[in-house]
Structure formats: C-alpha cells, structure tokens
C-alpha cells in the first residue's frame, strides 16, 4: 500500500492540504480561501471555526481526489500562520473571540507603554523579539481584558490559548491534545528561547495565567493521533512548525548562513544561524528555526507585513487589475516605475524599521503616472523591503550574503525575482517546487515516523528550477536605492 505524508498548510488567507509521495511529488492538493474580517482600521480577525472548517474541507478534498483513506497516510505535518491568536473555552470548545491575526495593530499603544517602562532589552534577551503588536502575548492580554468574563474564566483554568497550530491539533484530536512546537512558541513573546520554556516574568508582565498555555514539543515527534471523522483510521500528527520555519527547512537551509525569503501575504526573510541564538544589532528578530531530536537551530528573521497582499490591494482596493496574476503583465508594460516609489505600509512597517504607526505611501506621482507605473512600484516595494532586511542580516553576520532561496506565490513572478537579484547583487534561486512551507513540515513529520531515513535522504529531494543573476547596471540600481530611502523617510510616522 502506497503511503503519503499529508501537509496541512494553514495560511493567512487560505487553508491548503497537500499530499506528498516518497519522492516529494505532489499527489493531490486542495485549497480554500476564507473570510478576512476588518472590524476597525488596523484590526484584522478570522473566525476560528471557519479556519477549522476550511482546513477540514480541503483535507477531505485532497484525500478524496486520489481515493485514499487514513491507512494511506503515514503522518500529518502542520504548518501555520504564526502569531495569530485564538482563545477558547475548555468546556465548550468554543472560541471566546475571533482569532486576532498577526497583522492586527490594536495593541500598539500597549506595546508603546511596555517600551516606555524600559523593557525592550530584557524582553529581547529572553524572547529574541522586539516589543510589537505582531506577537501573540499582547493579543492574549487584549482578549482577557476586553471580552466580558474572559479573565475570570482564565484565572479559573477554563480557557486555553493557541496559535493556529495548537487550534488545529485540538480540533484534529477532539480536545485530547493541547500542544505547540518550539517555533510557534517562540513567536508569542512569552517563550524564553534560551531555556526553551514559557517565561514566568513575561507571563507576569502581561498578566496571563500559565494554565492557558499549551505543552511545548519539538518540531518532529508524534504529538497525538487524529480522532475526527475525516479519517477512517487514527493518523499520527508528527510534524509541526510555524510557516516560515517550515519553509526554511523545506528549502534545505540547514547550514548556518543559508537564507530564504517566502513571498506570501507578507514576506519573511530567514537566515539559519546554527545552534546559538544571535541577538540582532539591526532590528531583526531572533527566533527558533526548529528542534529535531535534541538538536536546536536558531534563525534571524526579518518580517515584511505587506508583501503579496499589496497585489490584492491593487486588485480589490484600487481596482487596476482584475486578478492577481495580471500584475506582472501590467508592470512589465513599462520599462520602470517612472520615478514612483510605493512603500506598502498598509498595516505598519516591520523589520528593520518597526514603526507600528506608519501607513502606506506612494511618492513621485506625476501627470504621466499610469496604473502600470503604480503596479511596477508595488512589485519594487516588495523587492526593496527584502533588500533592507538582507542588508541588516549581512551587517549582523559581518559578511555579505551569497545567495537567496525563494518560495511562495509571488516567487513565480519572474519580473519581481529579477528585480530582487538586481537589488541584492546576488543569485536568487527558485526551486522546482515552491510549496516549501508544506514540504518542510512534511519532511519533519516523515522523519518522526521513519518515512525517510534522515537529513541526507531528504536533502536530495530539493531541486533547483531557475536561477536569477543580478544585472550589471549598478549606477541605476544605486539611484533607485536612494529613491527608496527617501520614500521610506517620508513614510515613517
């Protein structure tokens, strides 16, 4: 009987399920978008029950497409949108509030108050993170402080917290497993990345009862077994990682100094720093890359809040394209952006600026500016933001970067990838399979159950597709970089 690894890839705008065979060919795939909720400016929410329903639906669809059942699935891996915060009642299993999404800015003022208390350095040393509304901890506090009865229930041990991985594990096991992995834990601002334990001081700072928190496991071990009607038989949940750490592993960035960027709703540049955390001097995050067996790898990360979602805004907000796929053709219809710079700070600016209050800016518009120039500037804005983070990483390392591996939906945009290579001045390499988030967590799950023998075997499954080499026109590139710096300075609040 042929067996597959089922990768659950629960993202910010859609839920996906992918079945991989032993050679990492995609045997089946299904995807479903779900509603984005914007109650107020700067607030972003999801319905946790819709997340679960959409994920269950695509798992069932992917399985039915090739006519298999639970007996054909060796293990399940879960990759998820990180930091998105869900709190639910242990007795009813019902969320007490919508999921507060990683993009949400509602706790910005509270984060500013923590900074004013002089906690920046101590929190960074413990968690590797800067103080920002991005992370789960302040979102949990907001729910406890603003949902009637929530704090009383939490203090009575009746509420549970989880990022989306924990929520899905809870649903798949029908409430018998409340767990997360080290990578998701490291994105909460509650987890000490040195001890790999929940930090009592952080819980005290944010007034969060420890009883709410899940058990923390490695990325590659059996978390539990499914108990849903989706599968005819129990299937082990054996791999869990936040989506960006999963992508780093899926890109086989297993050596210190190797780097990838995932071009999704946001963009996430991650650099493997090996077995020791490197605290950034250039406003990057320090995070756990993965733990497999007793081996822990750490990473530097630069997050970009608005990456591919700027293309969605061109489609839904501005109406200059009818589908996201049209943006490359529209942008390519002009030779350059015509002096227009688009800083897509639609939900603030993340690394390396960390301005929670910044908002999107388009600079350099003239009577000659067209929709094509705006589209070109939007793609450039993604590439420029990545350049800023790559420079910060090179400064932290004290040496230049050699190459960048890329994945995610927008990495299929050749115009954007060439622009990225030109700005960075290094090779940009895209693999044959750009589903590296799903691949990474599939590898983790498969390793836990012996589906693959070890790292050497899975390294041979990563295959290069296209390599973009930088342009030699350095003078115009440097001029463009200066224009971008000017646009950034006009955007910072």
């Amino acid at each position: 009987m042929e067996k597959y690894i089922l990768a659950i890839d629960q993202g910010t705008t859609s839920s996906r399920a992918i079945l991989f065979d032993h050679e990492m060919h995609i045997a089946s795939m299904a995807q479903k978008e779900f509603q984005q909720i914007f109650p107020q400016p700067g607030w972003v929410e999801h319905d946790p029950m819709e997340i679960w329903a959409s994920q269950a639906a695509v798992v069932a669809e992917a399985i039915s497409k090739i006519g298999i059942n639970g007996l054909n699935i060796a293990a399940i891996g879960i990759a998820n949108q990180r930091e998105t915060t869900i709190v639910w009642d242990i007795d009813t299993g019902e969320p007490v509030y919508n999921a507060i999404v990683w993009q949400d800015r509602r706790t910005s003022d509270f984060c500013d108050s923590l900074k004013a208390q002089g906690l920046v350095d101590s929190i960074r040393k413990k968690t590797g993170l800067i103080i920002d509304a991005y992370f789960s901890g302040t979102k949990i506090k907001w729910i406890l402080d603003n949902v009637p009865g929530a704090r009383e229930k939490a203090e009575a041990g009746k509420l549970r917290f989880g990022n989306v991985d924990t929520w899905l594990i809870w649903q798949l096991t029908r409430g018998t497993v409340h767990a997360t992995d080290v990578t998701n834990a490291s994105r909460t601002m509650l987890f000490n990345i040195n001890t790999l334990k929940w930090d009592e001081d952080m819980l005290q700072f944010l007034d969060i009862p420890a009883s709410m928190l899940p058990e923390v496991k490695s990325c590659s071990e059996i978390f539990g077994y499914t108990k849903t009607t989706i599968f005819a038989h129990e299937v082990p949940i054996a791999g869990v990682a936040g989506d960006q750490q999963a992508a780093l592993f899926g890109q086989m960035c297993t050596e210190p100094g190797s780097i990838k960027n995932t071009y999704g709703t946001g963009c996430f540049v991650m650099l493997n720093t090996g077995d020791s955390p490197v605290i950034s001097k250039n406003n990057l995050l320090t995070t756990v890359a993965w733990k497999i067996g007793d081996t822990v790898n750490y990473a530097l990360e630069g997050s970009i809040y608005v990456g591919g979602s700027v293309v969605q805004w061109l489609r839904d907000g501005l109406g200059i394209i009818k589908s996201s796929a049209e943006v490359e053709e529209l942008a390519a219809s002009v030779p350059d952006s015509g002096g227009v710079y688009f800083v897509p700070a639609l939900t603030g600016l993340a690394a390396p600026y960390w301005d929670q209050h910044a908002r999107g800016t388009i600079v350099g518009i003239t009577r000659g500016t067209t929709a094509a120039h705006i589209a070109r500037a939007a793609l450039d804005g993604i590439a420029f933001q990545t350049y800023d983070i790559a420079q910060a990483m090179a400064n932290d390392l004290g040496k230049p970067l050699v190459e960048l591996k890329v994945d995610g939906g927008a990495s299929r945009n050749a115009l954007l990838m060439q622009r990225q290579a030109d700005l960075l001045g290094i090779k940009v390499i895209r693999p044959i399979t750009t589903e590296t988030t799903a691949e990474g967590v599939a590898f983790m799950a498969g390793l836990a159950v012996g589906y693959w023998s070890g790292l050497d075997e899975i390294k041979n499954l990563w295959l290069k597709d296209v390599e973009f080499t930088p342009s030699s026109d350095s003078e115009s590139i440097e001029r463009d970089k200066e224009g971008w710096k000017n646009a950034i300075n006009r955007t910072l609040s």
Side-chain angles (χ1 to χ4, degrees):
M1 180 188 297
E2 184 166 10
K3 294 217 170 191
Y4 303 88
I5 300 291
L6 170 62
I8 286 174
D9 183 2
Q10 203 298 305
T12 307
T13 57
S14 70
S15 296
R16 299 196 302 158
I18 302 177
L19 285 160
F20 292 102
D21 67 15
H22 197 269
E23 281 65 52
M24 288 306 286
H25 300 132
I26 294 175
S28 180
M29 178 165 60
Q31 179 171 352
K32 184 177 177 62
E33 290 191 2
F34 54 87
Q35 184 184 12
Q36 307 294 302
I37 302 166
F38 307 103
Q40 295 184 32
W43 291 29
V44 189
E45 297 177 2
H46 295 156
D47 177 350
M49 299 310 294
E50 188 183 6
I51 288 176
W52 165 238
S54 63
Q55 193 63 68
V58 293
V59 167
E61 182 183 344
I63 290 169
S64 66
K65 275 182 178 178
I66 55 173
I68 63 169
N69 60 37
L71 283 175
N72 299 94
I73 300 174
I76 296 171
I78 298 173
N80 58 286
Q81 53 165 317
R82 304 167 305 167
E83 299 96 17
T84 295
T85 300
I86 305 170
V87 174
W88 65 94
D89 187 303
I90 192 173
D91 294 327
T92 66
E94 293 289 322
V96 300
Y97 189 79
N98 274 341
I100 301 181
V101 178
W102 58 271
Q103 298 162 316
D104 190 279
R105 302 277 90 203
R106 76 186 67 190
T107 63
S108 295
D109 289 343
F110 176 72
C111 289
D112 288 341
S113 75
L114 290 178
K115 293 174 188 174
Q117 293 174 50
L119 297 173
V120 171
D121 288 341
S122 64
I123 288 177
R124 176 171 277 176
K125 284 174 186 172
K126 286 171 177 290
T127 69
L129 307 177
I130 56 98
I131 297 173
D132 194 81
Y134 183 15
F135 306 109
S136 314
T138 61
K139 301 179 197 299
I140 302 170
K141 177 176 169 54
W142 188 93
I143 290 173
L144 297 183
D145 289 344
N146 289 276
V147 175
R151 184 163 290 286
E152 291 78 6
K153 279 189 176 181
E155 288 170 355
K158 296 290 189 182
L159 295 187
R160 295 291 179 266
F161 151 73
N163 293 128
V164 174
D165 64 311
T166 303
W167 174 244
L168 293 179
I169 293 166
W170 179 273
Q171 296 295 338
L172 287 165
T173 63
R174 290 194 171 177
T176 60
V177 179
H178 183 224
T180 189
D181 82 293
V182 288
T183 69
N184 278 291
S186 75
R187 310 299 294 191
T188 60
M189 217 167 79
L190 303 173
F191 189 70
N192 190 311
I193 61 170
N194 305 293
T195 64
L196 299 183
K197 294 184 180 189
W198 298 116
D199 190 272
E200 291 182 10
D201 289 340
M202 290 307 306
L203 293 175
Q204 192 171 344
F205 286 152
L206 299 179
D207 198 13
I208 295 170
S211 61
M212 295 180 69
L213 304 179
E215 179 186 359
V216 182
K217 295 178 175 283
S218 76
C219 300
S220 181
E221 65 176 279
I222 294 176
F223 280 59
Y225 293 84
T226 60
K227 291 184 174 18
T228 72
T229 54
I230 302 170
F231 308 100
H233 304 83
E234 290 189 347
V235 181
I237 301 165
V240 179
D243 50 11
Q244 302 315 315
Q245 285 92 335
L248 188 70
F249 195 71
Q251 286 276 36
M252 287 292 104
C253 291
T254 55
E255 299 299 320
S258 50
I259 178 175
K260 70 89 195 172
N261 189 16
T262 297
Y263 297 80
T265 303
C267 292
F268 301 89
V269 189
M270 193 171 273
L271 172 80
N272 186 333
T273 62
D275 58 8
S276 300
V278 174
I279 300 300
S280 174
K281 296 177 181 174
N282 293 279
N283 287 328
L284 301 174
L285 307 178
T286 304
T287 195
V288 180
W290 53 74
K291 182 183 179 188
I292 296 177
D294 294 326
T295 302
V296 180
N297 272 62
Y298 291 89
L300 284 172
E301 180 179 345
S303 307
I304 296 167
Y305 292 144
V306 176
S309 57
V310 73
V311 179
Q312 293 176 324
W313 180 78
L314 294 179
R315 181 192 68 192
D316 302 334
L318 212 54
I320 63 173
I321 52 174
K322 291 181 181 174
S323 72
S324 296
E326 292 177 15
V327 72
E328 184 172 4
E329 182 180 355
L330 179 61
S333 68
V334 289
D336 53 44
S337 68
V340 175
Y341 292 86
F342 186 169
V343 183
L346 308 184
T347 55
L349 274 177
Y353 304 103
W354 296 111
D355 186 339
Q356 304 182 90
H357 305 289
R359 290 296 177 261
T361 306
I362 303 177
V363 175
I365 299 173
T366 69
R367 282 289 301 270
T369 299
T370 66
H373 293 114
I374 300 291
R376 184 88 179 213
L379 294 183
D380 281 355
I382 299 171
F384 277 122
Q385 290 179 99
T386 302
Y387 165 79
D388 288 341
I389 290 170
Q391 286 299 105
M393 286 179 170
N395 291 337
D396 275 335
L397 284 181
K399 58 184 180 182
L401 305 176
V402 177
E403 63 182 28
L404 174 70
K405 290 182 175 178
V406 298
D407 57 79
S411 70
R412 298 186 188 95
N413 186 316
L415 184 69
L416 172 59
M417 292 301 99
Q418 184 58 55
R419 182 64 158 158
Q420 194 69 81
D422 294 345
L423 288 174
L424 293 174
I426 59 175
K427 293 183 292 185
V428 169
I429 300 171
R430 187 176 66 202
I432 286 176
T433 301
T434 55
E435 303 292 351
T436 51
T437 299
E439 279 190 318
V441 82
F443 285 144
M444 290 170 176
L447 289 171
V449 298
Y451 188 76
W452 291 290
S453 60
L455 203 54
D456 288 341
E457 183 180 4
I458 63 177
K459 276 183 178 176
N460 292 325
L461 299 172
W462 186 93
L463 298 171
K464 180 171 74 175
D465 178 23
V466 181
E467 187 174 292
F468 298 88
T469 55
S471 158
S472 58
D473 187 3
S474 58
E475 186 176 330
S476 102
I477 294 294
E478 290 307 311
R479 189 169 60 247
D480 291 346
K481 288 175 184 175
E482 284 302 313
W484 171 253
K485 282 182 190 173
N486 174 54
I488 283 285
N489 288 333
R490 289 166 182 253
T491 302
L492 295 172
S493 63

